[in-house]
């Protein structure tokens, strides 16, 4: 989309349009990009359009109730906030604004471990909003964990967020390396130097990408070379002493230097052994892995392709959802979905197929860029209102009325049901 006029936003698409007209290109490209050809990015939304609704009529829908429980905690709606890194790139109030808007809307928020506000300050901001006796579990915050090479650091972070009041750990398992987002490579994406990866900040040192990566020793070079090597650029990465011949996204280099690509199911056991919090694995796309996750005692599965930012060409999440649900049928594990959820009818379709809840990634960032806390509140309210209207028009008074017979694939029948 080119730089056009701002709209008075009445849909999430309008908020995205406006972000495209106002945001700085380094941040906008980082937020909007998918990996490589961005096929999966597009498919996440397109796949929702391939599903058709089968509404029921004459069911008294004068009142619609969207309240549900997530891992035992009540929330006002099955629409939740996915973890997105570095929210201060969108607005100075960053994660605090998102936390306040989430609390106001009675929605669950997952905080990214690569946030620009630390876990304690973010949850405190959410708690500034007065609670409502009707939903005693609120505010509900979960914490997203990347497992770092430094296990002691990972463990310290887990203990900190448990103490701070986060109610589940969401382990992201689709990012042993960062997917290749071409715009970020071209822009040599960097976190601006005045922002920090706040969870790793100490009294004496601020962790910025610049000070982790632009250090005089060879760490950056080694990390960047590793990225290039992973991408098959042998020219750039023959041996440890080779100079970097091409610039890279700093984020990709940072990920290589910090995140542990050896991560495997044993590590999930390890996390289980260091915390009492429920564990959600984020990034499951197949029946095989869903079974393994249930076997490993995970409490939740977030069907996600990371918003099309990791492996390009995988299934749209709404297309992967049925096999995951089939695989864990009868097991004690909640299944959620993210990716391409932009409209109330998308939420209805995901729930009809069997998802317990859905998570929004980019739309929250577009709201944040629009107007900080008020902008995120607008994102959440717009899609909440659309969802309530879609429920009513489909004949659903409460979330348990949203059943599988409400959707079919395409206009020509129900072959995949
Ligand atoms: C800018 C951006 C940053 C993200 N950062 C993280 C992150 O730090 N951790 C994580 O697990 N997922 C991250 N994700 C993936 C989201 O949690 C989510 O899976 C995805 O955005 C959902 O798709 P949607 O943007 O189409 O709603 C990020 C996504 C975006 C767009
Ligand atoms: O940009 C992302 O999609 C992302 O998930 C991420 C991964 C590592 C560090 C920061 C963000």
């Amino acid at each position: 989309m080119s730089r056009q006029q701002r709209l008075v936003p009445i849909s999430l698409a309008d908020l995205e349009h406006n972000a495209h007209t106002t945001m700085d290109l380094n941040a906008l490209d980082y937020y909007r990009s998918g990996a490589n050809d961005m096929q999966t990015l597009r498919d996440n939304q397109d796949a929702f359009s391939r599903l058709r609704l089968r509404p029921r009529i004459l069911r008294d829908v004068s009142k619609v109730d969207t309240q549900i429980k997530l891992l035992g905690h009540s929330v006002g709606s099955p629409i939740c906030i996915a973890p997105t890194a570095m929210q201060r790139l969108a607005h100075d109030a960053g994660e605090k604004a998102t936390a306040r808007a989430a609390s106001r809307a009675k929605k669950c928020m997952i905080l990214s471990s690569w946030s620009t506000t630390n876990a304690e300050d973010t949850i405190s901001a959410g708690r500034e909003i007065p609670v409502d006796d009707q939903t005693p579990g609120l505010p509900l915050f979960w914490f997203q964990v990347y497992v770092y090479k430094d296990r002691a650091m990972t463990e310290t972070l887990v203990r900190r967020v448990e103490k701070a009041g986060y109610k589940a750990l969401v382990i992201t398992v689709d990012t042993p390396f960062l997917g290749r987002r071409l715009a970020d490579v071209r822009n040599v994406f960097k976190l601006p130097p005045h922002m920090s990866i706040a969870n790793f900040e100490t009294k004496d040192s601020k962790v910025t990408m610049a000070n982790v990566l632009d250090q005089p020793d060879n760490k950056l070079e080694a990390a960047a070379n590793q990225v290039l090597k992973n991408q098959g650029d042998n020219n750039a990465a023959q041996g440890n002493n080779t100079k970097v011949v091409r610039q890279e996204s700093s984020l990709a280099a940072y990920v290589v230097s910090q995140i542990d690509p050896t991560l495997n199911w044993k590590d999930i056991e390890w996390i289980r052994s260091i915390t009492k919090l429920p564990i959600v694995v984020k990034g499951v796309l197949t029946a095989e892995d869903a079974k393994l996750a249930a076997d490993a005692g995970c409490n939740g599965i977030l069907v996600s392709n990371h918003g099309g930012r990791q492996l390009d060409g995988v299934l749209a999440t709404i297309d992967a959802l049925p096999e995951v649900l089939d695989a864990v049928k009868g097991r004690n594990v909640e299944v959620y979905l993210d990716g391409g959820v932009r409209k109330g009818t998308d939420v209805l379709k995901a729930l009809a197929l069997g998802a317990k809840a859905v998570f929004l990634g980019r739309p929250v960032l577009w709201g944040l860029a629009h107007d900080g806390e008020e902008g995120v509140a607008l994102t959440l309210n717009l899609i909440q209102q659309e969802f309530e209207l879609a429920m009513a028009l489909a004949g659903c008074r409460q979330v348990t009325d949203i059943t599988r017979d409400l959707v079919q694939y395409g206009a020509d029948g129900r072959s995949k049901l």
Side-chain angles (χ1 to χ4, degrees), residues 202-393:
T202 61
K203 273 197 207 84
D204 320 310
S205 78
K206 215 171 137 160
V207 183
T208 63
M209 261 183 228
N211 70 22
V212 171
L213 296 173
D214 296 346
Q215 43 198 335
D217 67 26
N218 282 332
K219 270 196 190 153
L220 167 61
E221 210 169 282
N225 271 331
Q226 185 63 48
V227 173
L228 297 175
K229 207 172 180 177
N230 292 337
Q231 293 161 357
D233 193 335
N234 296 324
N235 193 20
Q238 284 163 357
N240 292 334
N241 299 324
T242 319
K243 284 265 170 270
V244 178
V245 296
R246 184 155 55 78
Q247 287 196 299
E248 261 299 332
S249 151
S250 289
L251 191 60
Y254 194 25
V255 167
V256 165
S257 71
Q258 302 288 309
I259 295 180
D260 191 349
T262 71
L263 192 68
N264 63 73
W265 290 107
K266 279 224 153 58
D267 297 303
I268 303 292
E269 266 174 43
W270 171 70
I271 294 168
R272 173 58 79 222
S273 77
I274 62 165
T275 183
K276 291 202 174 61
L277 290 175
I279 293 174
V280 177
V281 276
K282 174 174 184 283
V284 171
L285 286 170
T286 62
E288 297 89 322
D289 283 335
K291 279 205 182 88
L292 291 172
D295 292 345
C298 295
N299 309 85
I301 291 174
L302 177 41
V303 176
S304 173
N305 51 35
H306 212 110
R309 294 159 74 80
Q310 288 299 107
L311 182 62
D312 195 27
V314 299
L315 281 186
T317 48
I318 194 71
D319 287 336
L321 179 67
E323 72 170 72
V324 168
L325 283 162
D326 272 359
V328 298
K329 201 181 276 169
R331 312 284 299 264
N332 190 21
V333 55
E334 296 187 353
V335 176
Y336 324 112
L337 168 142
D338 75 21
V341 178
R342 301 292 179 268
K343 295 177 293 184
T345 48
D346 298 338
V347 183
L348 190 69
K349 288 170 180 176
L351 266 61
L353 285 180
K356 180 97 188 162
V358 297
F359 290 77
L360 304 175
R362 294 179 185 83
V364 170
L365 301 170
W366 309 142
L368 204 49
H370 176 71
D371 191 15
E373 178 184 338
E374 291 310 318
V376 178
L378 183 61
T379 294
L380 298 176
N381 289 341
L382 284 171
I383 193 160
Q384 176 69 23
Q385 281 164 14
E386 285 184 5
F387 175 50
E388 288 179 17
L389 179 61
M391 276 179 72
L393 296 181

